[in-house]
Amino acid sequence: MSTATASRPEGAAPARSYPSYAAPLWRRALLTREFAIIALLGIVYLYSLGNVPNFDGPLTLYYLFLDIAPILLIALPMAMIMITAEIDLSVASVVGLSSVLVGVLHQDAGLSIPLAALAAMAVGAVCGAANGFLVSYVGLPSLAVTIGTMALYRGVAVGLLGTKAVTDFPERWTDLAKERIFGPGTSYPTILIPFVVLLVLAVWLLHFSNFGRGIYEIGHNAEAAHFTGVDVELTKFWLFVISGAVSAFAGVYYTLRYGSARGDNATGLELQVIAAVVLGGVSVFGGRGALHGVVAGVVLIGIISSAMRLEGQTVNLINIVIGVLLVLSVLSTSLLALASGLLRARTRGKRPSSRRAVAAANPNER
Amino acid sequence: MQDRAASAVVLELRDVAKSFGSVVALRSGSLTVERGSIHAVVGENGAGKSTLVKIVAGVHRRDEGVFRFLGEDVDFATTAASKAAGIAVIYQEPTLFPDLSVAENIFMGRQPRGRGRRIDYGRMYDESDRLFARLGVHIDPRRPARGLSIADQQVIEIAKAISLDATLLIMDEPTAALSGVEVERLFAIARSLRDEGRGLVFISHRFDEVFALCDHITVMRDGSYVSTDRTTDTDVDAIVSRMVGREVAELFPKTPAEVGDVVLEVDGLTSAGVFHDVSFEVRAGEIVGLAGLVGAGRSEIARAVFGVDRYDDGAVRLLGRKVPAHNPRAAIRAGMAFVPEDRRRQGLVIEESVARNVGSVIRRGLARAGVLTSAAENRAAGPWAGRLEVKTSALDMRASTMSGGNQQKVVIAKWLATEPRLLIIDEPTRGIDIGTKAEVHRLLSELAGQGMAILMISSELPEVLGMADRVLVVCEGRITAELDRAAATPERVMRAATRTSAHATAAAADEQKSEVTA
């Protein structure tokens, strides 16, 4: 070691070397929450193919994808926001607002559909930026901020159009929203193309970029992230902007798919998105989750409801099943954490009381 | 009961020991407090004063030793038990319920009841007024505790202690946040309590206060009892030398390095209420130690220099170029590295793997065509973990599974990987075992030898004196002394660190300062 700025650490001390991983690849890949969801998805899919009448037809998957496309799209930014331990409840309201904007701009301002869609997405990004600014730079809790803007954006959407609906859209565009990629009779609608593009971008951003490493660090420990040079505020801000823009895009799709722009479009969608993201293995406390699990979570919920509908079950029963599944999945993580926590506590023994213990023990108690 | 009241000795501790795992916090603590006296306990950071207090307060239970209160052997399992026996502890920062009234805070949990078990507010306010009158202060018992000064909050804690008829009152650095007038008032109260026949224990770093107020002084060092004297029989110098009392061990092998150009220049750095007009420089190859008491503002200065915290005024320059304020990223780019004080909360992301932690600062440069892979991180992190001999079975082990010493190595590896010009290291060896400690010291010395500038903050005086080429002493947010390696004796550093505060006479302060820098 001759200078302090040697590019590799070749010290006088013998350098140790380490294996990269403690467990073989199959164990790291299979023994995860994400893989459990994927496996469950496979089981449910195969079961439905064999036992549910008409499930194996091409229409089933086609309508499944059409239905879950908005959830799939919004789940990507939602997962990233939730990994930073924040939340965005305003997404469905942005869908509604974007839907209304497309309708109004097309009908009243005479804009073409692509221009109206771009304008709606710009407004969506601004809505997200407002959320992000309040959360990151004003320091308000995202739960409170986005509950507020959920009502606000929905209010603006309904206010713009009242109880009316705009249904006069060119067929070229409404057909495009429902078109199939591989020609008539196949199962994959065109909305999957932008979704796959966004998915690739999201995977890169979250799992293969410096920005994504920062997202996880913020979720685990924002203070340490700050000390390491991660711009905590800016990271969160951009995630909310992305969330707003993607939600607005989902709103454009929603409008064209149903051929109807209404202020109350996609009401309650935010809870479906959050449910799917949580089912996919993202921790609401931040720091944990991966996109393959999230996508599997969305598709799993979609397949269960689609199969049960084909069986002739009511929406209420479908909701009960999905609700139970969600509670079980969350419970499984908590139980695992509890078990490993107990194990750790036993091996570590009694820990020295910290200052907090004094503060808690000292004053004012009876 | 008659027996207890008659006992002249309120508190007797003999050879009390307490360990947390492998860390010995208190080796052999002894303290005897008599009725009607104020007893000072002094010692360096980590001498075991706080542990002793916590044992008396019932926060911790002793491992061994004699603990007598009013002549009876006792063993408090909870703070409630010690409180019920008649012990009141007042901490540096009182913790009141801010939204409740002053009277409600005093009578929390034992409010006087009127008819129908309703709280008798009238009586509560009357009794509070009577307590305050006895203490000679004017606080409205009806006002909420929020917005009261720390001094008034302490008075409320004292009022609570008196209303409980505490026989022993322990004050842990009560004057740290007080102004001169408030200190005088507190002292007046303390003296009147003493004259009522209660026993008081006063923990402080300020010798002028200790000598002004107390009857006896007990010195502690390294978790052990050293001596007890009557205040009238001793002086500051004798106490300081007993507090320090040991040779700088051979544990700290700082090899002389060639001191080069100025790397870090800090000029007039000020943050209102935290530190004031701090100026110093660190040169290449030099280890500069920031010494001082806990809470003097050392860590805050380091955090501001690195840009984690804001500052109001002043400038930081690295290699002659100004470093933007409040921007850790810019500081890293300029060539700074910062190993913070709290490893688990600030130093690393405990839930992440070794590789992710070691690579967390350098990963920006590891992406190929914008794609950052775990493989690239592992390749980059492995050699640095190896250089520091981090003990782990694989790079994907979570940092939370490792010992404190290994975690510290991970933090240091993470920053060395950035190849910094300046390393700021806050409490480099806090809470780590002796072997790793020596390794860290050797490493710091080696890094300085290679021309790195190092700013080291430590509460362990031997560490500062053994490692640093130059020692800056911080006291209450100001640099009160700058001592060369040869001039830095434990006594001088302690003097500067406990320098008489603002309320003392200016003459005394000047005299001490000139003595230190002479």
Side-chain angles (χ1 to χ4, degrees):
Chain A
M1 183 51 93
S2 51
T3 62
T5 52
S7 62
R8 297 202 108 224
E10 298 148 13
R16 282 176 62 145
S17 63
Y18 306 92
S20 291
Y21 302 102
L25 180 66
W26 65 267
R27 257 171 60 192
R28 278 180 287 125
L30 299 191
L31 298 182
T32 60
R33 175 82 188 274
E34 284 76 25
F35 183 77
I37 291 296
I38 292 173
L40 189 60
L41 173 62
I43 292 167
V44 170
Y45 180 68
L46 291 176
Y47 174 85
S48 307
L49 271 187
N51 299 286
V52 179
N54 298 326
F55 189 85
D56 53 352
L59 277 183
T60 308
L61 273 189
Y62 169 71
Y63 278 108
L64 171 74
F65 284 128
L66 278 186
D67 288 347
I68 64 171
I71 302 177
L72 273 175
L73 289 167
I74 301 171
L76 301 176
M78 181 69 83
M80 291 195 252
I81 287 179
M82 287 177 67
I83 290 172
T84 66
E86 302 288 352
I87 200 161
D88 185 354
L89 292 172
S90 71
V91 286
S93 298
V94 174
V95 170
L97 179 60
S98 152
S99 174
V100 166
L101 280 174
V102 170
V104 169
L105 288 175
H106 177 68
Q107 193 185 46
D108 299 349
L111 290 184
S112 68
I113 292 293
L115 276 181
L118 275 180
M121 283 169 65
V123 171
V126 170
C127 289
N131 287 336
F133 175 77
L134 290 171
V135 171
S136 297
Y137 293 102
V138 185
L140 302 174
S142 56
L143 189 75
V145 166
T146 58
I147 280 185
T149 55
M150 175 171 80
L152 174 68
Y153 300 155
R154 182 66 74 185
V156 172
V158 174
L160 275 176
L161 210 51
T163 51
K164 291 179 301 187
V166 176
T167 51
D168 180 26
F169 294 103
E171 264 182 32
R172 191 153 68 93
W173 291 102
T174 50
D175 285 351
L176 179 68
K178 286 175 283 198
E179 202 156 330
R180 295 163 165 85
I181 303 173
F182 304 113
T186 56
S187 319
Y188 304 100
T190 44
I191 186 64
L192 287 181
I193 295 175
F195 168 70
V196 169
V197 171
L198 277 176
L199 177 65
V200 169
L201 283 176
V203 167
W204 168 71
L205 198 61
L206 183 60
H207 295 301
F208 294 97
S209 81
N210 177 48
F211 185 81
R213 296 287 191 272
I215 291 175
Y216 282 96
E217 286 184 358
I218 291 168
H220 278 308
N221 183 343
E223 192 177 4
H226 180 48
F227 272 78
T228 304
V230 173
D231 196 328
V232 177
E233 288 81 20
L234 199 65
T235 303
K236 287 185 184 173
F237 176 78
W238 278 116
L239 289 180
F240 277 100
V241 172
I242 294 170
S243 171
V246 171
S247 301
F249 175 73
V252 172
Y253 162 77
Y254 200 100
T255 312
L256 294 178
R257 193 224 150 167
Y258 294 106
S260 163
R262 293 174 53 92
D264 60 356
N265 269 355
T267 304
L269 188 77
E270 69 278 339
L271 293 181
Q272 294 179 46
V273 173
I274 291 165
V277 168
V278 171
L279 183 65
V282 172
S283 162
V284 287
F285 302 113
R288 241 167 281 251
L291 287 179
H292 57 293
V294 169
V295 172
V298 179
V299 178
L300 178 60
I301 290 184
I303 285 193
I304 289 176
S305 34
S306 159
M308 288 181 71
R309 255 200 318 267
L310 285 171
E311 287 269 20
Q313 308 290 358
T314 62
V315 174
N316 297 329
L317 194 64
I318 296 173
N319 284 342
I320 289 172
V321 169
I322 291 172
V324 168
L325 185 67
L326 194 64
V327 170
L328 283 180
S329 80
V330 174
L331 203 62
S332 73
T333 351
S334 301
L335 286 176
L336 270 174
L338 188 73
S340 65
L342 282 177
L343 216 66
R344 227 179 299 144
R346 196 174 303 163
T347 51
R348 198 188 292 147
K350 254 184 152 181
R351 291 182 53 201
S353 314
S354 60
R355 226 191 184 154
R356 194 180 300 150
V358 185
N362 155 37
N364 303 317
E365 87 279 57
R366 49 204 65 207
Chain B
M1 272 326 227
Q2 282 302 75
D3 225 28
R4 284 180 59 169
S7 173
V9 173
V10 180
L11 175 73
E12 187 183 0
L13 293 171
R14 235 182 312 121
D15 301 326
V16 172
K18 176 74 192 171
S19 304
F20 299 105
S22 59
V23 181
V24 181
L26 190 60
R27 219 173 290 279
S28 149
S30 297
L31 180 65
T32 305
V33 181
E34 288 164 20
R35 264 186 194 284
S37 82
I38 305 179
H39 201 116
V41 178
V42 298
E44 278 184 277
N45 300 325
K49 306 179 302 261
S50 298
T51 312
L52 197 74
V53 169
K54 285 176 194 167
I55 287 172
V56 176
V59 177
H60 299 325
R61 291 177 88 163
R62 67 189 191 281
D63 296 335
E64 49 192 292
V66 178
F67 179 6
R68 286 203 189 104
F69 183 63
L70 296 173
E72 287 171 12
D73 281 309
V74 286
D75 182 19
F76 300 129
T78 62
T79 51
S82 106
K83 204 170 284 183
I87 295 173
V89 182
I90 291 156
Y91 293 93
Q92 190 173 335
E93 278 162 32
T95 30
L96 301 174
F97 294 102
D99 294 313
L100 296 184
S101 73
V102 167
E104 281 170 312
N105 268 293
I106 294 176
F107 291 99
M108 177 53 63
R110 48 191 180 88
Q111 295 88 343
R113 298 263 171 73
R115 270 194 312 181
R117 294 183 59 77
R118 295 216 330 260
I119 293 173
D120 188 345
Y121 279 96
R123 219 170 91 206
M124 204 156 85
Y125 294 139
D126 287 347
E127 284 189 29
S128 302
D129 274 331
R130 221 169 301 136
L131 283 169
F132 288 138
R134 217 166 116 194
L135 294 172
V137 294
H138 301 286
I139 300 174
D140 179 5
R142 286 169 183 80
R143 64 157 292 168
R146 188 185 295 283
L148 284 173
S149 70
I150 299 242
D152 284 341
Q153 292 182 40
Q154 282 176 341
V155 168
I156 292 172
E157 294 275 8
I158 293 173
K160 196 157 86 182
I162 298 172
S163 74
L164 280 164
D165 201 25
T167 343
L168 177 67
L169 196 69
I170 302 176
M171 294 187 277
D172 192 353
E173 289 197 56
T175 58
L178 302 194
S179 69
V181 188
E182 292 167 334
V183 169
E184 278 313 316
R185 190 181 70 179
L186 181 71
F187 283 9
I189 293 172
R191 289 193 187 100
S192 73
L193 294 177
R194 173 189 65 190
D195 297 340
E196 289 172 13
R198 301 175 206 270
L200 281 88
V201 175
F202 180 72
I203 294 176
S204 177
H205 285 299
R206 295 180 177 169
F207 293 121
D208 53 335
E209 293 175 2
V210 167
F211 278 86
L213 179 67
C214 302
D215 309 308
H216 296 87
I217 302 179
T218 289
V219 179
M220 291 184 69
R221 182 173 74 227
D222 293 337
S224 299
Y225 168 87
V226 176
S227 66
T228 299
D229 294 285
R230 296 191 70 84
T231 312
T232 45
D233 300 341
T234 184
D235 58 24
V236 175
D237 286 330
I239 296 294
V240 167
S241 71
R242 273 186 223 144
M243 270 170 67
V244 184
R246 67 190 144 187
E247 297 305 306
V248 175
E250 291 296 300
L251 196 63
F252 312 100
K254 170 71 172 89
T255 45
E258 195 162 320
V259 174
D261 296 335
V262 174
V263 174
L264 174 73
E265 270 174 281
V266 175
D267 188 23
L269 211 61
T270 299
S271 176
V274 187
F275 51 82
H276 190 78
D277 196 18
V278 172
S279 302
F280 62 92
E281 52 183 48
V282 184
R283 290 169 176 273
E286 191 182 35
I287 298 182
V288 172
L290 269 186
L293 301 169
V294 170
R298 299 163 308 171
S299 300
E300 288 75 7
I301 293 170
R303 290 166 56 126
V305 168
F306 186 68
V308 171
D309 291 350
R310 295 173 196 280
Y311 51 82
D312 301 327
D313 202 10
V316 176
R317 279 187 202 84
L318 199 80
L319 301 167
R321 232 170 302 151
K322 197 167 182 307
V323 182
H326 193 59
N327 188 343
R329 229 154 143 169
I332 293 167
R333 256 199 304 274
M336 276 193 217
F338 180 37
V339 177
E341 182 182 14
D342 189 334
R343 192 156 52 229
R344 298 176 63 87
R345 276 183 43 226
Q346 304 163 341
L348 37 73
V349 179
I350 207 99
E351 303 288 332
E352 287 273 27
S353 69
V354 174
R356 287 268 167 99
N357 271 301
V358 172
S360 59
V361 193
I362 52 167
R363 65 182 178 223
R364 236 168 288 279
L366 297 176
R368 286 246 179 99
V371 174
L372 174 69
T373 61
S374 296
E377 281 176 299
N378 288 338
R379 264 198 310 279
W384 288 105
R387 181 175 173 205
L388 286 166
E389 299 184 43
V390 174
K391 291 186 188 66
T392 179
S393 56
L395 290 173
D396 71 337
M397 295 300 284
R398 282 198 194 166
S400 56
T401 61
M402 309 167 79
S403 70
N406 266 308
Q407 287 176 355
Q408 185 73 335
K409 284 180 179 179
V410 169
V411 182
I412 295 175
K414 146 180 161 180
W415 286 110
L416 291 188
T418 67
E419 290 155 17
R421 298 299 304 272
L422 169 76
L423 174 66
I424 306 174
I425 186 161
D426 195 351
E427 301 292 355
T429 61
R430 173 182 285 175
I432 66 182
D433 59 285
I434 193 88
T436 312
K437 217 167 171 168
E439 274 180 67
V440 170
H441 290 147
R442 203 176 325 117
L443 179 78
L444 289 179
S445 171
E446 193 185 308
L447 290 170
Q450 290 158 11
M452 199 182 282
I454 296 177
L455 179 64
M456 183 183 81
I457 300 166
S458 176
S459 296
E460 281 187 53
L461 205 44
E463 186 170 84
V464 175
L465 298 179
M467 295 295 300
D469 296 301
R470 209 142 48 81
V471 180
L472 303 171
V473 187
V474 182
C475 176
E476 294 175 1
R478 289 165 195 271
I479 293 184
T480 50
E482 178 173 347
L483 305 164
D484 278 337
R485 190 175 177 80
T489 61
E491 289 79 7
R492 281 180 174 163
V493 173
M494 279 315 282
R495 269 294 182 92
T498 55
R499 200 195 67 164
T500 331
S501 49
H503 65 274
T505 58
D510 285 345
E511 186 197 349
Q512 274 197 338
K513 197 173 183 184
S514 61
E515 217 172 291
V516 162
T517 44

